[in-house]
Amino acid sequence: EKGGYDHFMLKEIYEQPRSIRDCLRGRIYPEEGKVQLGGIKEFVDKLKNIDRIIIVACGTSWHAGLVGEYLIEEYARIPVEVEYASEFRYRNPIITEKDVVIAISQSGETADTMAAIEMAKEKGATIFGICNVVGASIPRLTHAGVYTHAGPEIGVASTKAFTAQVTVLTLIAFYIGQQRGTITSSKLIELLTELDSIPDKIQIALKSNDIVKEISEKFKDSRNCLFLGRGSGFPVALEGALKLKEISYIHAEGYPAAEMKHGPIALIDEEMPVVVIATKNSSYEKVISNIQEVKARKGVVIAIVTEGDIEVKKMADYCIEIPDANEAFLPLLATIPLQLLSYHIAVLRGCNVDQPRNLAKSVTVE
Ligand code: F6R
C-alpha cells in the first residue's frame, strides 16, 4: 500500500507531479488562456465586485492561505486577509454579506475551521471551501468550493495536500483575475502554459532527494533550525519549519528574511542551520544580503536556489537546486526539497514519520 516506499509521507511527496496534474485537469486551457472552475462559477458576478477575501484555515492549510494571499492580491487585485480559524472565530470579526470567505482544509473536518465558517455564514458571507476529502463536513457547510483532488493523504504531515491547495489558490487567483480583467489574456496564456509544466518541474525538483539526504546527515543532530524567505518564499519558510518540527521534533522557526535582524539574528552561531529560500526572483538581491548577514555570524546556510545559480553558491554552505519558474509558481517548487529535508532528518533520528507523537490527521476538537 506504500507502493514500495518506506513511508506514506515519502510516497505522498513523490506523488506530487501526479496530484498536481490531477488538480489541474479540466481546469486550465493554456492555449486559450482560460481557467474553468465549475465549483465557483455561479459566484462569478459576486467575485467581480468584492472588496476583500478572507481566508481561514489552520496549520499547513493556513500556510497555503498565505501563499494564496500573495497570488490573489497580485493577479486578482483584491485585498486578502489570512486568519487562523481559531483566532478568527473568537474575535468578533467584522464580516458582511459582501465578503467572501475561503476555508482551506485537507480533511474537511477541522473543528476550528468549521466553527469559523459557521460564524461567517451567520453574518451573511459567501463561503468557499478548498478541501481534499470529498464529501467531508466542510464541503457540506460551504456555498461552493473547489476540491484539491490530491488523493488520500495518509501521512499525518501534510505534503501533497499542501501543494494541491496552493495549486487551487493559484487557479482561483487566475480565475478571478481573468473575470475582473486584472490579467491580460496574453499574460494568462503565458502563466497557464507554465503552470501546465509545473508537474514536470516538480519531478525535476524531486531529483534533489540525494543531495537533500546528504545534507540531512549533517544536520540530524541539530537542536534548532531557522527557515527564511521573502515574498511567497516566506510562507514556504513557515511550512518548512512546521514540517521539520512536527516529524523530527527539532525546534524550527520560519521568518520573513528581513525580520531576522529584529530578533532571531541573536540566535545565530556556528551551531545554527539556516535554510534560506534564495531562488531567482524579485527578492533575490535582498535575500543575498540576508545570507551575508547570516554568514557574518558564522551561521550555516542551506540555500534553495534556482538551477544554475552562481551568486548564492559563492556564499552558502549547501545549495539545493530547483528548476527556474515564474515567481507565481515558486512555492510549488521550493516546498519539495523542504519536505524531503524534514523527511530524511526524521528518518535518521528514528522518528515515527507517518504518525508523529501527539498529532492527529484531523483535529476535530478545538
Ligand atoms: C501539518 C498538518 C496540520 C494540518 C492542520 C489543518 O502537516 O497536517 O497542521 O494542516 O491540522 O488540517 P486540515 O487541513 O485538515 O484542516
Side-chain angles (χ1 to χ4, degrees):
E1 67 204 349
K2 291 183 199 145
Y5 292 95
D6 289 344
H7 299 94
F8 282 110
M9 182 180 176
L10 191 61
K11 171 175 178 266
E12 288 159 4
I13 290 172
Y14 273 87
E15 268 170 10
Q16 289 173 108
R18 203 194 70 207
S19 55
I20 304 296
R21 177 87 49 224
D22 289 343
C23 180
L24 294 173
R25 184 165 299 117
R27 293 172 170 168
I28 62 166
Y29 299 87
E31 281 122 69
E32 299 160 51
K34 218 171 110 193
V35 179
Q36 234 163 33
L37 289 174
I40 59 173
K41 201 167 83 193
E42 56 177 302
F43 292 91
V44 82
D45 288 332
K46 175 150 197 142
L47 287 169
K48 276 188 198 161
N49 297 305
I50 42 171
D51 298 328
R52 65 164 181 173
I53 291 175
I54 304 165
I55 297 179
V56 296
C58 305
T60 287
S61 299
W62 183 80
H63 296 156
L66 289 180
V67 176
E69 174 182 17
Y70 284 89
L71 293 167
I72 294 170
E73 292 197 345
E74 175 76 18
Y75 293 103
R77 304 304 294 153
I78 298 170
V80 178
E81 288 164 32
V82 189
E83 302 265 4
Y84 282 118
S86 57
E87 288 297 315
F88 181 73
R89 62 180 287 203
Y90 287 119
R91 208 188 51 231
N92 191 17
I94 299 150
I95 308 165
T96 71
E97 296 85 43
K98 286 183 77 182
D99 290 323
V100 167
V101 171
I102 302 180
I104 310 174
S105 175
Q106 188 287 129
S107 63
E109 302 293 346
T110 302
D112 279 318
T113 309
M114 281 172 67
I117 292 173
E118 272 158 358
M119 186 194 65
K121 213 170 158 184
E122 242 163 60
K123 299 194 186 216
T126 301
I127 322 289
F128 293 167
I130 298 178
C131 294
N132 194 45
V133 177
V134 176
S137 303
I138 291 176
R140 282 185 276 124
L141 275 176
T142 52
H143 296 110
V146 182
Y147 280 115
T148 43
H149 294 312
E153 191 178 63
I154 313 288
V156 164
S158 184
T159 54
K160 64 173 179 170
F162 173 74
T163 49
Q165 290 165 341
V166 170
T167 303
V168 166
L169 287 158
T170 309
L171 292 174
I172 290 178
F174 292 170
Y175 181 72
I176 306 177
Q178 152 191 296
Q179 302 299 335
R180 286 166 61 96
T182 48
I183 320 181
T184 63
S185 56
S186 61
K187 183 74 190 166
L188 202 51
I189 289 173
E190 185 190 313
L191 286 166
L192 294 177
T193 304
E194 189 167 349
L195 180 55
D196 202 29
S197 75
I198 290 297
D200 298 333
K201 290 191 178 178
I202 291 181
Q203 195 73 56
I204 298 168
L206 285 164
K207 293 200 180 130
S208 65
N209 186 56
D210 291 346
I211 167 126
V212 172
K213 206 167 161 183
E214 277 170 38
I215 295 172
S216 303
E217 296 270 0
K218 302 249 179 353
F219 295 100
K220 68 177 176 27
D221 298 319
S222 297
R223 301 196 47 212
N224 298 288
C225 188
L226 214 52
F227 288 75
L228 304 176
R230 282 177 176 258
S232 60
F234 162 52
V236 172
L238 289 178
E239 175 59 7
L242 180 65
K243 249 11 17 135
L244 187 65
K245 69 187 118 177
E246 66 184 335
I247 63 165
S248 73
Y249 318 138
I250 293 174
H251 170 235
E253 290 193 64
Y255 267 98
E259 276 297 303
M260 189 179 67
K261 58 169 81 62
H262 300 284
I265 199 163
L267 295 168
I268 295 174
D269 61 15
E270 49 283 281
E271 305 273 282
M272 177 66 110
V274 184
V275 180
V276 188
I277 318 300
T279 48
K280 286 228 175 77
N281 54 46
S282 57
S283 48
Y284 183 65
E285 300 298 331
K286 300 270 177 205
V287 170
I288 286 184
S289 35
N290 296 132
I291 292 176
Q292 282 162 340
E293 288 157 9
V294 175
K295 286 313 298 172
R297 281 142 193 104
K298 303 200 166 54
V300 188
V301 172
I302 304 161
I304 309 298
V305 299
T306 304
E307 233 163 28
D309 179 277
I310 297 167
E311 289 306 307
V312 177
K313 276 191 189 151
K314 290 183 200 151
M315 291 176 280
D317 299 83
Y318 303 91
C319 283
I320 304 168
E321 290 194 338
I322 58 171
D324 194 13
N326 186 298
E327 198 157 346
F329 310 120
L330 161 72
L332 291 172
L333 298 170
T335 298
I336 306 295
L338 303 189
Q339 294 171 341
L340 290 168
L341 184 71
S342 63
Y343 172 78
H344 288 298
I345 290 182
V347 169
L348 289 165
R349 287 165 71 93
C351 297
N352 187 343
V353 173
D354 284 334
Q355 298 229 278
R357 68 188 183 203
N358 310 338
L359 290 172
K361 188 68 189 160
S362 59
V363 183
T364 52
V365 291
E366 69 167 294

